[in-house]
DNA sequence: TAGGCCATCTGGTCCT
DNA sequence: AGGACCAGATGGCCTA
C-alpha cells in the first residue's frame, strides 16, 4: 500500500498546521453531525481521508503557553522539589562528563529524528514540495489514526 | 526582516 | 553515580 506522496491538500495542511483539530472530539462521525464549525471541519477531513482510502482500494467509497510569559520560571524549581519532597542536589560535572553528555544527547535527538522520519513515511501526504515539520507530522498522524479507527469501526458493522 | 523550524548545549530531575 | 529524559536558551538557516 503506497500512501506516501499523494494525499495532502492545502486545506488539510492548514488544519494540521494551525492545530485546531486538537479541539475536535475523537469520534467524529457522519451520524453525529454537530452544527459547530469545528465539526464541519472534521467532516471535511474525514471525507478527504475517505476519498484517499477509496482511491487506494482499502475502503469503500460510500461506505504550551510558555512558562516565561506567565512569569512562572521561578516557581518551577520550588514546585518540583516541593512536589517530589526532594532537596535540590547540585551535581558536580567535569568537562569530560559534560562533553560525553552532549554526545549522548545528540545521539538521542538523532534517534528521535529517525523516528520522526519513519512516521513521516507512514502518514499520507501529497507530493508536497516541503517536507512536514515535526509538529505537523505529529498532528497529521493524530488525524490519520483517528480517521483509520473510524474506518475500522464502520467496516466492522 | 520577522517568524518558523531545527540542531546543539546546558542544567535539572528521574530512574536504575 | 551516571545515563536517560526533558525543557529552556541560543544561534543558524530558510521563506514569505
Amino acid at each position: 500500500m503506497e500512501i506516501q506522496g499523494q494525499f495532502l491538500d492545502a486545506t488539510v495542511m492548514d488544519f494540521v498546521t494551525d492545530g485546531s483539530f486538537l479541539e475536535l472530539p475523537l469520534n467524529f462521525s457522519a451520524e453525529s453531525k454537530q452544527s459547530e464549525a469545528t465539526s464541519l471541519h472534521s467532516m471535511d477531513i474525514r471525507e478527504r481521508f475517505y476519498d484517499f482510502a477509496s482511491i487506494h482500494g482499502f475502503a469503500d467509497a460510500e461506505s504550551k503557553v510558555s512558562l516565561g510569559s506567565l512569569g512562572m520560571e521561578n516557581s518551577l524549581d520550588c514546585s518540583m522539589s516541593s512536589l517530589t519532597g526532594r532537596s535540590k542536589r547540585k551535581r558536580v560535572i567535569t568537562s569530560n562528563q559534560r562533553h560525553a553528555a552532549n554526545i549522548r544527547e545528540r545521539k538521542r535527538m538523532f534517534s528521535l529524528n529517525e523516528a520522526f522520519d519513519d512516521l513521516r513515511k507512514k502518514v499520507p501526504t501529497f507530493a508536497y514540495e516541503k517536507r512536514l515539520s515535526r509538529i505537523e507530522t505529529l498532528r497529521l498522524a493524530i488525524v490519520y489514526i483517528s480517521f483509520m479507527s473510524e474506518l475500522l469501526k464502520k467496516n466492522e458493522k
Side-chain angles (χ1 to χ4, degrees), chain A residues 19 38 42 57 61 88 92 99 111 121 136 138:
Chain A
T38 51
S42 72
K88 284 174 77 179
V92 191
H99 184 63
S111 70
K121 289 175 194 162
E136 288 166 348
L138 288 177

Side-chain angles (χ1 to χ4, degrees), chain A residues 1 8 68 76 108 122 151:
Chain A
M1 177 169 62
L8 199 66
L76 241 196
R108 197 180 71 82
K122 303 292 180 193
L151 200 59

